Structure formats: structure tokens, C-alpha cells
């Protein structure tokens, strides 16, 4: 009976076995939150200074490893605290549905952190050892997001921390390791990216609102209520696109960056997918679409910066 229930849930979530088990553990829809900031920060450096391609690749891989490890810590500690079960939506499901040992997930997360540290050493050798301090802080918060005595994800600060660390900080590091400096323009341009990354977390919390509330979490979605949280999400999208428009008008971003505004259409789609939905499985498409909004905006913004470097 239990095996039949797991099979039914997998069919509803369109889950597959084999390699797909480990791929789901990484929660690929969240990995854009690590790719986009590194790409944008590096493209900003390209315009101002030029880039070292090996530093870019090392930073990109390290960032994605840290994000993946954070997702694994999330999976492990939510299971350990009894928050995840076979019917949970949006998790990798390797522990509760696929029978992978929790210790295996934890060891894999620590291994990813270890590889990220080695990459960080290379980055520091080529740039500055101050990056090591910032990188360790980022990894610490990656662990504390769902680990530790008071997980950040259980508070109203989850979106703020994730947006700032994965958005502004990673963009800043990506720019600094290439140029050995940091400008106010980089900080300003990072704000919309930080907003979109925070929106991914908010989208996740809107979907999980009922279960999180039962387990004592105090996320922004819980404090606002689902309808108001969706409105807040829409407002965040609007702020990000308005800021981008302002940056283009004042010359902070090149005119080519207008293509990044195409992300508006996917952002509208996110809000529509949330409206009238109350079950986690119904809101899963909206959550995935939020990650795609970040991808579209960030990728097109980075491409616009690349184009402006050559034209």
C-alpha cells in the first residue's frame, strides 16, 4: 500500500527514477539563483575591465555548488524536523519518496561545500583573500538557512537573506574578482536580481504556506496571508522592472538592456498561476515559473551587457 502511494505521488509530480532522483535533489529550478548573479556580475566587469574566463567558470561552479548544497541541507533538516513527507511538493523527495539515506544527502551537501572551498582557494589566489571571508560567510548562511537552532527559512527574513546574499553579494564578488574594485553601479544593478531571487523563495513559501504554518514557521507569506503574499510578489516584480527601466533611462544600463524587460510576461504568468490556487500541487507551476522569470530577466540582462561591450 505504501509503495502504491509513493508511485501515485510520483506520477502526479511527473517524477522519474535513476539519475532523475539526484537531479531533483539539486532542485534545478532554484539553480538560476546562482547562475544569474555570477553571469551579470561578470558581464558588468567585462564592460569596465575585461575578464578572466577561468575565474568566471570557477566562480560559477562554486556558486552553483553552494546553492545545491543549501538545497540538500534544506532537504535533510526539513526531514529531520518532520516537515517533509511523501506528499510534500517542491522537494527533491530523495529521502521521503526514494529512500535515499538522510546521511547520504548530508554527506553530499558537505562534499559540495568542500569542492566549493577548493574553488574558492583558486579564486582567492587569483584575486584577493578577502573573498575567502565573504565566501565562508555565504556558506555559513547557506547552512543556517534551514540548519541551526533558529533556521532563517522559518522566519520573515528568508527572502531578504537569500536575495541579498545570492543576489547583491554574489554579483559584487563576481565583479570584484575580475576588477579588484567595486562600484555603486554594480550595487544598484544587483537590486533587481536580488528581488527576483527573493521572489523565488517567496513563491516557494506561498506554495508551502499551510504546511509551514502548521509547523510553526513565520514566513512573510504566513504573516501576510496567501492573497496578500501573491500581491506582494507582484509588487516585487513591478519594483524590479521599474528599477531596470530607470537604470536604462539614466544611463546606468545600456539601451540594449530593454530586452530584459521581456521578463515581464513571465512575471505576469506567475501571478496568474497563483491566483485562485490553494493546493501545493496546483501552485507548483507558479513556483517553477518564478525561477524562469529570474532566468529570463538575468540572462537577457547579461546578454545586453555583452552586446553593449562589442557595439
Amino acid at each position: 500500500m505504501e509503495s502504491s502511494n509513493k508511485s501515485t505521488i510520483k506520477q502526479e509530480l511527473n517524477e522519474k527514477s535513476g539519475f532523475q532522483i539526484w537531479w531533483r535533489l539539486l532542485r534545478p529550478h532554484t539553480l538560476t539563483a546562482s547562475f544569474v548573479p555570477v553571469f551579470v556580475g561578470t558581464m558588468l566587469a567585462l564592460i569596465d575591465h575585461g575578464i578572466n574566463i577561468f575565474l568566471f567558470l570557477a566562480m560559477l561552479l562554486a556558486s552553483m555548488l553552494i546553492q545545491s548544497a543549501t538545497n540538500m541541507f534544506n532537504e535533510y533538516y526539513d526531514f529531520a524536523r518532520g516537515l517533509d513527507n511523501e506528499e510534500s511538493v517542491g522537494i527533491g523527495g530523495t529521502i521521503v519518496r526514494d529512500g535515499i539515506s538522510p546521511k547520504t544527502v548530508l554527506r553530499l551537501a558537505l562534499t559540495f561545500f568542500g569542492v566549493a572551498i577548493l574553488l574558492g582557494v583558486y579564486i582567492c589566489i587569483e584575486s584577493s583573500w578577502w573573498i575567502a571571508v565573504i565566501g565562508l560567510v555565504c556558506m555559513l548562511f547557506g547552512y543556517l538557512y534551514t540548519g541551526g537552532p533558529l533556521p532563517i527559512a522559518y522566519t520573515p527574513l528568508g527572502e531578504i537573506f537569500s536575495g541579498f546574499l545570492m543576489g547583491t553579494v554574489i554579483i559584487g564578488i563576481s565583479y570584484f574578482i575580475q576588477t579588484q574594485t567595486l562600484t555603486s553601479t554594480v550595487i544598484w544593478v544587483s537590486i533587481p536580481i536580488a528581488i527576483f531571487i527573493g521572489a523565488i523563495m517567496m513563491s516557494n513559501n506561498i506554495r508551502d504556506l499551510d504546511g509551514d504554518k502548521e509547523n510553526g514557521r513565520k514566513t512573510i507569506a504566513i504573516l501576510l496571508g496567501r492573497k496578500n503574499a501573491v500581491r506582494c510578489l507582484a509588487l516585487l516584480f513591478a519594483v524590479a522592472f521599474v528599477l531596470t527601466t530607470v537604470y536604462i533611462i539614466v544611463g546606468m544600463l545600456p539601451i540594449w538592456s530593454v530586452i530584459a524587460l521581456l521578463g515581464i510576461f513571465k512575471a505576469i504568468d506567475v501571478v496568474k498561476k497563483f491566483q485562485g490556487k490553494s493546493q501545493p500541487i496546483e501552485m507548483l507551476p507558479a513556483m517553477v515559473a518564478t525561477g524562469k522569470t529570474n532566468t529570463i530577466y538575468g540572462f537577457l540582462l547579461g546578454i545586453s551587457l555583452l552586446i553593449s561591450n562589442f557595439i
Side-chain angles (χ1 to χ4, degrees):
M1 185 69 178
E2 180 179 348
S3 177
S4 176
N5 185 45
K6 287 184 178 182
S7 178
T8 300
I9 293 170
K10 282 191 175 188
Q11 290 176 1
E12 289 178 351
L13 296 174
N14 195 30
E15 291 186 352
K16 299 177 182 179
S17 57
F19 171 76
Q20 291 293 327
I21 292 174
W22 303 102
W23 180 241
R24 288 197 305 273
L25 177 61
L26 301 182
R27 303 189 191 183
H29 63 275
T30 68
L31 294 184
T32 60
S34 54
F35 166 77
V36 166
V38 176
F39 181 49
V40 172
T42 304
M43 290 303 100
L44 286 168
L46 177 63
I47 292 175
D48 294 343
H49 180 272
I51 63 171
N52 179 324
I53 189 66
F54 296 108
L55 272 177
F56 165 61
L57 293 175
M59 183 65 195
L60 181 61
L61 182 55
S63 181
M64 296 183 78
L65 286 170
I66 292 173
Q67 176 66 51
S68 298
T70 300
N71 292 338
M72 292 177 201
F73 282 129
N74 196 339
E75 188 105 355
Y76 174 82
Y77 283 105
D78 279 357
F79 168 78
R81 291 186 172 92
L83 299 180
D84 285 347
N85 54 56
E86 293 174 12
E87 299 180 3
S88 297
V89 176
I91 63 172
T94 56
I95 297 176
V96 296
R97 288 194 291 271
D98 298 310
I100 302 300
S101 167
K103 288 185 178 180
T104 298
V105 174
L106 183 60
R107 289 193 191 104
L108 189 57
L110 293 172
T111 300
F112 275 32
F113 262 13
V115 176
I117 289 174
L118 292 177
L119 289 168
V121 170
Y122 164 72
I123 292 171
C124 289
I125 291 174
E126 294 295 320
S127 57
S128 168
W129 285 99
W130 280 108
I131 299 300
V133 177
I134 300 173
L136 289 173
V137 170
C138 287
M139 286 192 287
L140 174 62
F141 278 103
Y143 167 77
L144 293 176
Y145 191 75
T146 49
L150 183 60
I152 297 170
Y154 294 14
T155 74
L157 301 177
E159 288 84 351
I160 296 173
F161 271 90
S162 59
F164 175 70
L165 291 172
M166 292 301 297
T168 300
V169 172
I170 297 301
I171 287 177
I173 292 177
S174 300
Y175 182 88
F176 180 83
I177 63 175
Q178 301 285 352
T179 66
Q180 300 297 301
T181 187
L182 194 61
T183 68
S184 59
T185 295
V186 174
I187 303 301
W188 283 109
V189 171
S190 76
I191 294 176
I193 299 291
I195 289 174
F196 283 119
I197 292 174
I200 294 175
M201 303 303 122
M202 177 170 280
S203 180
N204 181 78
N205 289 334
I206 291 172
R207 182 204 62 200
D208 295 339
L209 188 150
D210 294 330
D212 286 348
K213 191 173 183 179
E214 290 176 3
N215 287 285
R217 287 190 176 188
K218 299 292 182 182
T219 63
I220 292 177
I222 291 174
L223 297 178
L224 294 179
R226 182 168 283 117
K227 287 185 178 180
N228 286 333
V230 173
R231 291 180 184 132
C232 181
L233 184 65
L235 178 62
L236 288 175
F237 286 147
V239 170
F241 287 117
V242 168
L243 283 176
T244 303
T245 303
V246 171
Y247 296 163
I248 295 171
I249 292 173
V250 302
M252 194 177 294
L253 285 174
I255 188 63
W256 295 101
S257 294
V258 70
I259 64 175
L261 299 179
L262 291 173
I264 289 174
F265 298 105
K266 182 55 69 173
I268 293 173
D269 186 46
V270 171
V271 177
K272 287 182 177 179
K273 280 181 165 62
F274 267 125
Q275 289 176 340
K277 307 297 191 304
S278 59
Q279 299 301 314
I281 192 69
E282 295 178 314
M283 291 179 278
L284 187 58
M287 188 197 72
V288 174
T290 307
K292 290 181 178 179
T293 302
N294 177 59
T295 303
I296 292 170
Y297 173 86
F299 181 74
L300 291 179
L301 179 63
I303 290 296
S304 74
L305 295 170
L306 180 62
I307 292 173
S308 70
N309 183 67
F310 294 104
I311 296 180

